[in-house]
Amino acid sequence: MTPESRKWMKFRIATLLVFSVMLFIALFSRAFQLQIISANKLNTLAKKQHTQTLTLTPDRGVILDRKGEKLAATIMTDSVCADPSKIENAEKTSEKLSTILSIDRNTLKKKLLANRNFCWLARKIPPEQANLVHNLKIEGIFTIKEPKRYYPSGELAGQMIGFVGADAKGMEGLEFRYEKHLRGTPQKLTWSRDAKGKKLYPDMERNETVGNENYDLILTIDKRIQHLVESHLKDAVMEKGAKSGFAIVMEPRTGEILALANEASFNPNNFKSFPADSRKNKAIADSFDPGSTFKPFLAAAALEEKIAKETDMFYCEDGHYAIANRVIHEAQRKRFGMLSLHDIIKYSSNIGTVKVAEKLGKEKFYEYIKSFGFGDTTGIDLPGEAKGLLRPVESWTRVDASTIAFGQGISVTGIQLITALGAIANQGVLMKPFIVRGMVDKNGNTIKRFQPTRVRQVISPETAKRVTSLLTDVVGMEDGTGKNARIVNISVAGKTGTAQKFDFAQKAYSSQKVRTLFMGFFPAEDPQIAMLVVLDEPQRDRWGGVAAAPVFKNIGEQLLTCFKTNIERNPEPEELYPPDKDMGIKFVSAGNGGQSLVSPPLVNQTALKNQWLSPEDGTMPNFSGMTIREVLKKSKETGIDINIIGSGWASKQKPAAGMPLTKDSICTVTFTTGS
């Protein structure tokens, strides 16, 4: 081989070696990139090519009344899906499914011909329809289990509970207000494909995802009382030919709402079938003139400021009182001469209240109106609460100050009225109304407990007692306007109201369109129940004393027939509203088949019961409503000696619940059968 040939050979070998090294480096770099640098990205891509994921609607927490009865729950239903790429005959398939699902055939056919691998055909259908679809055994058609919101009691408390939309999000009521607590983490459904892209249906599994847990709500509402109130309200609306109505039942010492009823048919299970107005919670969202139900708050201000006593006399102008360009008349054209403050409230004199308001002064009157909570929201844990309308006192004319005295020219809400009345019943202390007592997890562990909240001391206990006496005579005396609200053997304090509605077309108050109202509480000497009844535009009996007051009486009497109240107990003032303690109403078993009005502060499930009854560290437990066996068990757990009196259910205890424990604490618990 010549020298030139050897040189050329060496050059070729060197070139080949260099090329080989470069190729190795390139291949190694590529392999490194694929296996190390881009591994996660490529794995994700491969997973997408071989698996498919579908996000399903999330589960939701249960809503229970104070006794543990379900008001809103979740059930599993079937939804029908399709993989259009696997449908061999879209025409025939859509025809078969159309008959079963009651869906237009062309609509189904359009979905089945779409160029995609997944589509919904029908969501949350009844089991019988799902079985028929399953029995067809059509390739590419399958069913998936999805959670569906269900309201076991139908229309009961529908406006308060609210409903969820197609995306399982709360739309109104408690479902909306507590959305972030009720809504669970969306679950995902995944399935795999083989190398040819065919779905492996037998391998489909529901994957549990980690996320925030949803919670159950325990309400202050008692389902039985809610049903009772709704039934009587519906009867009254029909009997009086009213446009609508609402009623609220509250425990005045705590602000707990026991029932909140709207007379308007609305079933959250089928919310799309009802007009939007029927879903409105008018008890908190509607503003209206309160009429004569506003007079007790003026009387409270006058007594508190000591500008008048119950016996002070006021001249009521014989039924006609001219103020500026306005003449004030008495209701039903009555004519009064001299009336005491006591009789002004008993007879509901418009002119008499104007005279009291003039003596009080508009600035002081406005101050008390605000202090009782009017002109602002109460803060109740429901969406859509209105503030009402209270104009600044600086803009009040003399006529304004006069008409507001008898509840005209000011707008309030139902929840404001009952809350303000509750302050009079609660020794002058205004409480914040609330619907939810607490939240628990799926194991019954208490996540959060909502305590009664004191807002402010509006009037003194002495003034509250004096106003209560005035309101007791409104109902108890034969010539009182509220005599139709009397309950046998129970002292009732209350006030009637008839509020003219403003006619915007005529720019004047209408004499035909009115709201009739009655608000009251009982027993007057130991208030446990406060109630407001409002009927809108009754066609018969257009006065609060003859339209709304009997509804109050009927509800109250049935409460006392089914649920016996312990009215003999006279708690000491400090027991009425101890800070940050559970202040349940004092009801015991009625016996003879009756049931206790309000359960102990828990729901029926044992796991929840133990949580709700657990006392705060170092405080006396609440034994109310327990059997002797339950009291002994709880006392053993907490190391408290028990002295037992009587038999049946615990109705009294001393020391009271929430009092500090000592090393030698002994609690005397009185039991009664309610007979």
Side-chain angles (χ1 to χ4, degrees):
M1 180 179 295
T2 63
E4 288 79 7
S5 298
R6 285 197 294 271
K7 286 182 179 180
W8 176 247
M9 181 63 71
K10 290 179 179 179
F11 175 76
R12 290 181 63 186
I13 292 173
T15 302
L16 184 60
L17 288 173
V18 170
F19 178 77
S20 299
V21 170
M22 293 177 64
L23 180 61
F24 175 79
I25 293 173
L27 291 173
F28 179 81
S29 299
R30 181 59 174 166
F32 182 81
Q33 180 186 20
L34 293 175
Q35 296 184 30
I36 305 300
I37 299 177
S38 302
N40 292 335
K41 181 179 179 181
L42 293 173
N43 286 335
T44 301
L45 182 61
K47 189 175 181 180
K48 286 184 178 180
Q49 291 175 340
H50 293 282
T51 62
Q52 187 167 337
T53 301
L54 175 67
T55 300
L56 301 177
T57 53
D59 193 4
R60 294 178 71 83
V62 179
I63 300 178
L64 309 105
D65 83 337
R66 67 192 299 134
K67 297 284 288 183
E69 296 289 334
K70 291 182 180 179
L71 298 175
T74 299
I75 58 175
M76 298 307 296
T77 57
D78 293 284
S79 293
V80 182
C81 314
D83 181 351
S85 66
K86 302 301 178 184
I87 303 298
E88 294 182 357
N89 191 326
E91 180 73 32
K92 185 180 293 185
T93 301
S94 61
E95 184 175 347
K96 291 180 179 180
L97 292 175
S98 176
T99 303
I100 296 173
L101 301 176
S102 300
I103 299 176
D104 179 67
R105 182 178 61 183
N106 292 327
T107 301
L108 290 172
K109 182 179 177 181
K110 186 177 180 180
K111 290 183 177 182
L112 296 177
L113 290 174
N115 184 23
R116 51 184 171 177
N117 293 321
F118 177 85
C119 67
W120 291 107
L121 298 182
R123 305 289 294 274
K124 302 174 182 178
I125 62 175
E128 54 271 19
Q129 284 184 310
N131 290 334
L132 291 173
V133 172
H134 182 74
N135 291 337
L136 291 176
K137 297 181 180 179
I138 300 175
E139 176 69 16
I141 302 296
F142 54 98
T143 59
I144 291 176
K145 291 288 185 182
E146 281 196 287
K148 178 183 178 181
R149 202 58 164 168
Y150 174 63
Y151 304 93
S153 300
E155 295 181 2
L156 187 78
Q159 292 86 354
M160 178 182 63
I161 296 171
F163 60 94
V164 299
D167 58 356
K169 288 185 178 180
M171 301 294 288
E172 291 182 16
L174 292 169
E175 295 277 27
F176 175 80
R177 172 65 175 78
Y178 287 91
E179 167 70 10
K180 68 178 182 179
H181 303 292
L182 288 168
R183 185 180 176 87
T185 302
Q187 294 180 320
K188 295 183 179 181
L189 193 68
T190 62
W191 59 89
S192 303
R193 296 175 182 271
D194 61 16
K196 295 181 179 180
K198 183 178 180 180
K199 289 182 181 177
L200 303 176
Y201 295 110
D203 293 336
M204 286 194 301
E205 293 182 356
R206 179 186 293 268
N207 291 339
E208 301 290 340
T209 58
V210 178
N212 294 327
E213 183 183 2
N214 57 354
Y215 302 124
D216 297 340
L217 299 185
I218 300 176
L219 307 186
T220 63
I221 298 296
D222 188 305
K223 179 180 175 180
R224 298 163 302 159
I225 300 176
Q226 180 74 24
H227 175 74
L228 170 66
V229 174
E230 288 190 11
S231 297
H232 282 289
L233 187 62
K234 184 176 183 179
D235 290 345
V237 168
M238 292 181 64
E239 180 186 346
K240 303 302 180 184
K243 184 178 178 181
S244 63
F246 65 81
I248 307 173
V249 181
M250 172 191 279
E251 205 292 281
R253 294 173 178 165
T254 65
E256 292 182 76
I257 303 297
L258 301 177
L260 192 154
N262 289 268
E263 203 299 302
S265 295
F266 169 63
N267 190 335
N269 286 310
N270 191 22
F271 65 90
K272 292 182 180 179
S273 301
F274 295 86
D277 187 63
S278 70
R279 305 197 299 256
K280 188 178 182 182
N281 192 344
K282 297 182 179 181
I284 68 167
D286 274 8
S287 298
F288 53 89
D289 287 12
S292 294
T293 56
F294 208 62
K295 292 173 182 175
F297 308 114
L298 170 65
L303 292 172
E304 183 74 8
E305 291 297 313
K306 297 180 173 56
I307 62 98
K309 300 189 297 294
E310 293 88 336
T311 55
D312 286 355
M313 305 299 291
F314 295 84
Y315 180 50
C316 295
E317 306 288 343
D318 200 28
H320 299 80
Y321 186 36
I323 300 176
N325 60 346
R326 174 85 178 266
V327 177
I328 306 297
H329 299 280
E330 299 288 7
Q332 302 181 38
R333 299 294 176 177
K334 292 180 179 179
R335 301 160 72 100
F336 299 115
M338 297 296 293
L339 288 180
S340 65
L341 175 60
H342 172 275
D343 287 346
I344 287 171
I345 300 300
K346 183 177 70 171
Y347 296 134
S348 198
S349 168
N350 290 341
I351 295 173
T353 52
V354 171
K355 292 295 188 75
V356 175
E358 288 177 339
K359 190 171 182 180
L360 177 65
K362 66 178 185 179
E363 287 79 12
K364 273 293 177 185
F365 188 22
Y366 178 83
E367 183 181 310
Y368 278 91
I369 291 173
K370 291 287 290 182
S371 189
F372 270 110
F374 299 107
D376 201 359
T377 57
T378 64
I380 189 172
D381 47 340
L382 284 170
E385 183 185 5
K387 287 185 176 182
L389 177 62
L390 175 62
R391 288 170 290 144
V393 67
E394 294 80 10
S395 66
W396 288 15
T397 64
R398 186 185 173 197
V399 171
D400 292 333
S402 299
T403 58
I404 289 173
F406 54 85
Q408 196 174 91
I410 180 174
S411 292
V412 305
T413 64
I415 194 63
Q416 286 176 339
L417 263 182
I418 192 66
T419 303
L421 178 68
I424 294 174
N426 188 32
Q427 296 200 355
V429 177
L430 186 73
M431 302 296 292
K432 178 182 176 181
F434 65 108
I435 294 284
V436 177
R437 300 186 85 190
M439 293 183 286
V440 297
D441 64 18
K442 298 306 178 184
N443 296 318
N445 299 311
T446 302
I447 301 302
K448 187 170 184 179
R449 181 170 182 158
F450 297 96
Q451 298 287 354
T453 303
R454 297 178 65 185
V455 180
R456 69 181 70 89
Q457 183 90 38
V458 183
I459 54 177
S460 67
E462 175 59 27
T463 298
K465 184 177 180 180
R466 292 166 70 184
V467 177
T468 295
S469 179
L470 294 177
L471 298 181
T472 302
D473 285 348
V474 168
V475 178
M477 298 189 74
E478 190 58 37
D479 53 352
T481 58
K483 63 182 180 181
N484 289 323
R486 290 178 191 164
I487 299 174
V488 178
N489 295 328
I490 297 292
S491 56
V492 174
K495 185 68 188 75
T496 59
T498 304
Q500 294 174 288
K501 299 180 73 171
F502 192 80
D503 188 331
F504 289 94
Q506 300 296 324
K507 297 183 179 180
Y509 280 93
S510 171
S511 60
Q512 298 300 313
K513 295 182 178 181
V514 298
R515 280 188 179 87
T516 61
L517 308 90
F518 185 86
M519 64 180 192
F521 54 86
F522 63 86
E525 67 277 6
D526 182 19
Q528 299 179 40
I529 290 288
M531 191 189 318
L532 169 70
V533 177
V534 178
L535 300 179
D536 188 15
E537 295 187 25
Q539 299 304 301
R540 294 174 289 281
D541 298 332
R542 293 188 176 94
W543 299 99
V546 291
V551 185
F552 178 99
K553 170 189 169 128
N554 293 338
I555 294 172
E557 284 187 339
Q558 192 164 348
L559 278 175
L560 295 169
T561 299
C562 301
F563 316 102
K564 187 176 178 66
T565 176
N566 176 19
I567 63 174
E568 297 179 354
R569 180 173 184 265
N570 294 309
E572 297 177 359
E574 60 266 22
E575 289 186 63
L576 296 180
Y577 37 83
D580 301 323
K581 302 298 175 191
D582 180 39
M583 299 173 282
I585 64 179
K586 295 7 177 224
F587 277 73
V588 296
S589 172
N592 300 322
Q595 301 179 46
S596 60
L597 174 61
V598 179
S599 66
L602 57 141
V603 294
N604 286 337
Q605 291 89 337
T606 302
L608 300 187
K609 182 173 183 176
N610 292 335
Q611 288 296 322
W612 282 100
L613 280 180
S614 297
E616 296 179 11
D617 292 341
T619 62
M620 182 65 68
N622 183 1
F623 296 118
S624 177
M626 290 187 182
T627 64
I628 292 177
R629 179 178 295 181
E630 289 172 336
V631 169
L632 291 175
K633 180 180 178 182
K634 177 56 64 176
S635 66
K636 184 177 180 181
E637 294 173 356
T638 53
I640 301 169
D641 290 331
I642 296 293
N643 180 25
I644 294 175
I645 299 176
S647 62
W649 291 267
S651 60
K652 299 180 182 179
Q653 69 178 82
K654 189 175 182 180
M659 296 298 289
L661 293 177
T662 63
K663 183 174 66 174
D664 300 316
S665 287
I666 298 176
C667 185
T668 299
V669 183
T670 302
F671 295 79
T672 178
T673 60
S675 57

